[in-house]
Amino acid sequence: MTLTVAVQMDPIQNIRITGDSTFAMLLEAQRRGHRLLHYTPDRLSMRDSRVTAMAEPAEVRDVDGDHVTLGEAERVDLADVDVVLLRQDPPFDMAYITTTHLLERIHPQTLVVNDPAHVRNAPEKLFVTHYPHLMPPTLISRDKSEIDAFRREHGDVVMKPLYGNGGAAVFKVSREDPNFGSLFDLFSATFREPWVIQRFLPKITEGDKRIILIDGVAAGAINRVPALNDIRSNMVRGGAAKPTDLTPREIEICETIGPKLKEMGQIFVGIDVIDGNLTEINVTSPTGLRAIKRLGGPDLAITLWDAIESKLP
């Protein structure tokens, strides 16, 4: 089965291929003989309900600094391709949301991975709150009195933007932190949305586990350990990836949320778990495939494409 696969992503020329999960997906798609098309979100259009993109044919290779060759851009009717990979990075803003509305017009006749309507309806730090019994105590608010009450109850907390990503603007705030007032003012001026305030989990120093679920089933994991004097485990912030296995609690978490993710058409999902606490369910552009393989785990790009192809007629 030869497919035409269009990928909506940030400019492929600029990615760091050693850790890029989208690139791993494209390498495997090309290995299977699929035709690749690349476009960025700003080149997505809709005219009279016809959704198109100015897309370039792409040839990829696992060579750092020489990883892609792009052909001449042409207007492609996305209803005529087999699969669209929705893979641009957040921020999850109105521009991102608008692309999900447009892609919803072609799905599922053209399979969009992940299902764009449910990507739109499942922001990582909000969707996870459907499972409070799996999470640390969490407040979504920008009301200072609510945040003060939460801090009095739980002591040290973590504050982060509701629609942030990659560990940006994540702060630990102690119960009596003299910087809290200034941090509250900074967040108020910077973010229009509410924020996430969670009880601080001291065992973050032992790692933040990224678990990949493919079509609702746990398929592999890495443990991301923060750098010294940092609470952020994201690898783009200096976190170190370590091989890991799943604990019984983590298996329970995956088995609890997996059926709903499958029902929602979220084929490629990355969840974050700290000390047995689910903190995020990432559906927009999850990462981890290349790190898992590099550390001796399975090549999940193969598993992922098997799942995608199984959903096509």
Side-chain angles (χ1 to χ4, degrees):
M1 172 171 48
T2 300
L3 306 175
T4 298
V5 178
V7 58
Q8 176 175 306
M9 63 183 294
D10 301 312
I12 192 170
Q13 305 93 317
N14 301 336
I15 64 173
R16 298 174 59 188
I17 66 171
T18 55
D20 194 281
S21 292
T22 304
F23 190 71
M25 296 172 71
L26 296 180
L27 285 172
E28 177 60 21
Q30 182 173 273
R31 188 189 70 79
R32 295 180 180 223
H34 301 330
R35 176 179 178 238
L36 303 181
L37 299 171
H38 162 270
Y39 70 93
T40 50
D42 57 297
R43 292 186 286 157
L44 184 67
S45 302
M46 183 173 69
R47 180 172 179 175
D48 300 328
S49 294
R50 179 170 168 254
V51 180
T52 64
M54 287 298 294
E56 305 109 338
E59 178 184 336
V60 293
R61 51 198 163 271
D62 204 358
V63 179
D64 198 10
D66 183 29
H67 60 273
V68 65
T69 299
L70 297 176
E72 194 72 27
E74 59 183 35
R75 184 160 300 284
V76 175
D77 189 333
L78 294 182
D80 294 335
V81 309
D82 298 293
V83 179
V84 171
L85 302 177
L86 174 54
R87 291 292 303 174
Q88 84 259 26
D89 288 337
F92 190 72
D93 54 14
M94 287 307 299
Y96 205 122
I97 289 171
T98 299
T99 71
T100 69
H101 283 288
L102 299 187
L103 293 177
E104 189 179 1
R105 299 296 185 96
I106 61 168
H107 180 80
Q109 292 78 13
T110 294
L111 178 64
V112 181
V113 181
N114 289 319
D115 182 321
H118 286 296
V119 166
R120 181 174 67 246
N121 293 335
E124 0 266 44
K125 298 176 182 67
L126 277 176
F127 178 59
V128 67
T129 61
H130 287 283
Y131 303 96
H133 59 295
L134 304 178
M135 298 182 65
T138 300
L139 171 69
I140 308 293
S141 182
R142 59 183 292 128
D143 185 295
K144 191 171 185 297
S145 62
E146 290 288 340
I147 299 171
D148 285 339
F150 188 86
R151 292 172 62 220
R152 284 195 298 272
E153 180 178 355
H154 295 290
D156 293 354
V157 300
V158 169
M159 283 180 57
K160 53 188 174 181
L162 185 59
Y163 297 116
N165 70 296
V170 176
F171 292 88
K172 177 189 175 185
V173 181
S174 64
R175 185 190 297 269
E176 306 297 336
D177 199 319
N179 293 308
F180 174 70
S182 294
L183 185 60
F184 178 88
D185 292 342
L186 177 64
F187 269 51
S188 297
T190 306
F191 306 111
R192 297 179 59 190
E193 303 85 8
W195 320 313
V196 180
I197 301 92
Q198 283 181 332
R199 186 182 68 194
F200 177 67
L201 300 171
K203 288 193 175 181
I204 182 58
T205 56
E206 299 176 13
D208 177 354
K209 197 168 291 190
R210 164 56 58 90
I211 305 171
I212 301 298
L213 290 89
I214 295 178
D215 209 17
V217 177
I222 51 171
N223 192 38
R224 303 170 300 174
V225 180
L228 186 65
N229 297 322
D230 203 333
I231 63 167
R232 301 173 300 173
S233 61
N234 312 73
M235 286 181 282
V236 296
R237 306 294 176 187
K242 307 289 185 182
T244 189
D245 295 313
L246 298 187
T247 66
R249 168 64 170 176
E250 290 158 355
I251 293 170
E252 175 195 355
I253 289 171
C254 293
E255 290 178 345
T256 299
I257 68 176
K260 183 63 175 178
L261 295 172
K262 182 180 177 70
E263 176 190 328
M264 294 168 62
Q266 304 304 288
I267 298 174
F268 182 12
V269 175
I271 67 170
D272 297 336
V273 180
I274 303 171
D275 189 25
N277 292 272
L278 178 64
T279 59
E280 293 188 15
I281 301 176
N282 298 278
V283 301
T284 49
S285 185
T287 61
L289 298 189
R290 302 215 85 183
I292 289 171
K293 181 181 178 182
R294 185 174 65 251
L295 293 171
D299 187 344
L300 294 186
I302 295 174
T303 311
L304 187 51
W305 274 107
D306 287 345
I308 292 170
E309 290 177 359
S310 74
K311 298 186 179 299
L312 297 171

